[in-house]
């Protein structure tokens, strides 16, 4: 859970402060108490930039903390520097967790499938939709999700409740719980009314529909030559023996957040890369960490003396349908 935001010691109120997605802790004991502190700046549009975590070491359930901060927004005014925000871990048993959190987790299961105890909290106690044989969809209608307005970096969902008449037509369709997106709620209910099922009359049925995040565009990246170290003996060269292969960091892919990093490295005479370091990355340091893995696995052609001060700019782009640009859907 996010705490107070301070920039240069002054309290700043967020326009939209996204809470990190919920995670499950499966151990028989509670996860240790922890506080995660992030330092960043806010640009003139109210966007967090240069997000980095202070401190190191493992932090349970923290995969979505930096991405959730990256899609938060603050008042668009004069830029702020030296901003800090601390997140504290709040733990709740499945028996006491808000049902909305359980539904949200079931749609974005970061640490394994939701346990039966959690599903029991979501399902109506008198449902007959789970009695075998369960209703079979004969025709399942869906909204045109891409035609619905989306929110950058935020997944919206609508959990529909409905009954089935003896002909398999959904009746009493209503929104049991949702993230509060009216367009999605209306479109999801309309689609459910158009669906048809086999199996006769049932009560207490549930079905989720969601609209994925729209893309959070990367900030403008600097030119490679502008970041080239002094004394570089490495002219720009796109020739590779084993070229870099872009792999997105999943926490940022889930929220459709784009970014970039500029990586410097040296090349041994036999083509291996070494002395890799991040010169810059935005909007978070994680894009630099991921870019090191992308570049570090590649190799250059052999040369007589090797090269120093090489620079590569790695762009992380979201393609159509949420796939990383250039990635193979298979």
């Amino acid at each position: 859970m996010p705490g107070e935001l301070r920039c240069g010691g002054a309290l700043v109120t967020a326009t939209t402060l996204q809470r990190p997605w919920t995670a499950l802790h499966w151990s028989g004991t509670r996860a240790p108490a922890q506080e995660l502190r992030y330092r960043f700046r806010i640009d003139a549009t109210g966007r967090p930039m240069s997000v980095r975590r202070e401190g190191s070491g493992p932090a349970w359930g923290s995969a979505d903390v930096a991405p959730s901060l990256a899609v938060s927004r603050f008042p668009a005014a004069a830029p702020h520097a030296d901003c800090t925000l601390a997140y504290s871990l709040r733990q709740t048993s499945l028996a006491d967790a808000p049902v909305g959190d359980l539904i949200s987790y079931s749609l974005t299961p970061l640490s394994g499938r939701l346990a039966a105890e959690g599903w029991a909290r979501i399902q109506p106690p008198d449902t007959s939709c789970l009695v075998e044989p369960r209703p079979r969809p004969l025709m399942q209608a869906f909204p045109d999700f891409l035609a619905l307005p989306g929110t950058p970096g935020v997944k919206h969902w609508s959990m529909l409740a409905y009954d089935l008449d003896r002909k398999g037509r959904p009746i009493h369709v209503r929104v049991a719980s949702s993230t509060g997106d009216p367009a999605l709620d209306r479109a999801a209910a309309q689609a459910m009314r158009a669906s048809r099922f086999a199996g006769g009359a049932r009560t207490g049925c549930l079905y989720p529909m969601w609209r994925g995040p729209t893309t959070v565009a990367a900030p403008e990246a600097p030119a490679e030559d502008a970041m080239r170290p002094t004394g570089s003996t490495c002219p720009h060269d796109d020739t590779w023996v084993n070229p870099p292969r872009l792999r997105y960091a999943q926490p940022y892919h889930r929220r459709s957040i784009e970014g970039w990093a500029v990586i410097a490295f040296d090349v041994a005479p036999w083509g291996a890369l070494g002395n890799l370091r991040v010169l810059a990355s935005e909007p978070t340091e994680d894009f630099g960490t991921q870019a090191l893995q992308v570049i570090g696995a590649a190799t250059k052609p052999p040369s007589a003396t090797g090269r120093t001060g090489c620079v590569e700019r790695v762009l992380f782009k979201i393609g159509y349908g949420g796939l990383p640009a250039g990635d193979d859907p298979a």
Side-chain angles (χ1 to χ4, degrees), residues 134-209:
R134 299 188 183 185
R136 303 185 316 278
L138 299 177
M139 194 281 287
Q140 180 70 64
F142 293 96
D144 182 358
F145 291 109
L146 295 183
L148 296 174
T151 302
V154 178
K155 175 190 282 186
H156 288 291
W157 53 264
S158 179
M159 179 64 83
L160 300 174
Y162 60 97
D163 304 324
L164 295 175
D165 66 15
R166 60 185 181 84
K167 293 184 178 181
R169 296 175 298 195
I171 56 175
H172 309 139
V173 178
R174 65 269 186 203
V175 176
S177 184
S178 81
T179 54
D181 183 332
L184 175 60
D185 289 345
R186 288 192 301 269
Q190 182 178 3
M192 180 54 65
R193 293 187 185 98
S195 302
R196 294 294 181 268
F197 298 83
R202 300 295 179 99
T203 59
C205 303
L206 292 177
Y207 193 86
M209 296 190 187

Side-chain angles (χ1 to χ4, degrees), residues 59-306:
W60 176 82
S62 64
D64 188 54
V65 176
S68 71
L69 175 55
V71 299
S72 298
R73 290 296 178 264
F74 302 91
H80 292 283
D82 192 27
C83 299
T84 58
L85 180 61
Y87 292 79
S88 58
L89 179 63
R90 186 177 74 184
Q91 299 181 76
T92 309
S93 69
L94 286 174
D96 297 325
V99 172
D101 281 358
L102 297 175
I103 296 173
S104 179
Y105 180 84
S106 73
L107 300 176
T108 311
L110 301 182
S111 45
R113 299 178 63 182
L114 182 63
E117 183 183 355
W119 284 112
R121 293 280 320 285
I122 295 174
Q123 297 287 348
D126 57 349
T127 178
S128 62
C129 248
L130 301 180
V131 176
E132 298 291 350
R134 299 188 183 185
R136 303 185 316 278
L138 299 177
M139 194 281 287
Q140 180 70 64
F142 293 96
D144 182 358
F145 291 109
L146 295 183
L148 296 174
T151 302
V154 178
K155 175 190 282 186
H156 288 291
W157 53 264
S158 179
M159 179 64 83
L160 300 174
Y162 60 97
D163 304 324
L164 295 175
D165 66 15
R166 60 185 181 84
K167 293 184 178 181
R169 296 175 298 195
I171 56 175
H172 309 139
V173 178
R174 65 269 186 203
V175 176
S177 184
S178 81
T179 54
D181 183 332
L184 175 60
D185 289 345
R186 288 192 301 269
Q190 182 178 3
M192 180 54 65
R193 293 187 185 98
S195 302
R196 294 294 181 268
F197 298 83
R202 300 295 179 99
T203 59
C205 303
L206 292 177
Y207 193 86
M209 296 190 187
W210 63 91
R211 203 287 185 212
T214 56
T215 300
V216 181
E220 185 176 356
E224 291 178 11
D225 289 341
M227 304 290 291
R228 194 173 301 279
T230 302
S232 170
T233 64
C234 187
H236 181 73
D237 182 4
D238 289 330
T239 304
W240 299 87
V241 174
N242 294 310
R245 181 168 175 79
L246 180 66
R247 290 297 182 194
Y248 235 91
Q250 281 303 304
Y252 293 89
H253 183 222
R254 279 190 290 263
R255 286 191 179 270
S256 294
I257 301 172
E258 297 182 340
W260 56 263
V262 179
I263 305 298
F265 56 93
D266 302 332
V267 183
W270 53 90
L273 275 56
N275 191 25
L276 282 83
R277 62 256 187 219
V278 180
L279 299 182
S281 66
E282 290 290 1
T284 79
E285 65 179 354
D286 295 330
F287 285 98
T289 302
Q290 188 71 13
L292 286 175
Q293 298 182 30
V294 170
I295 298 296
T299 56
K300 285 283 192 178
S303 62
T305 59

Side-chain angles (χ1 to χ4, degrees), residues 23-66:
L24 281 181
H25 184 61
W26 292 98
S27 172
T29 60
R30 293 175 65 85
Q34 64 187 24
E35 181 181 83
L36 303 177
R37 183 172 296 274
Y38 288 81
R39 188 172 295 275
F40 56 99
R41 61 186 175 87
I42 300 174
D43 69 11
T45 70
R47 179 178 182 177
M49 301 286 287
S50 307
V51 177
R52 69 183 190 277
R53 180 185 163 196
E54 293 188 331
S56 59
W60 176 82
S62 64
D64 188 54
V65 176

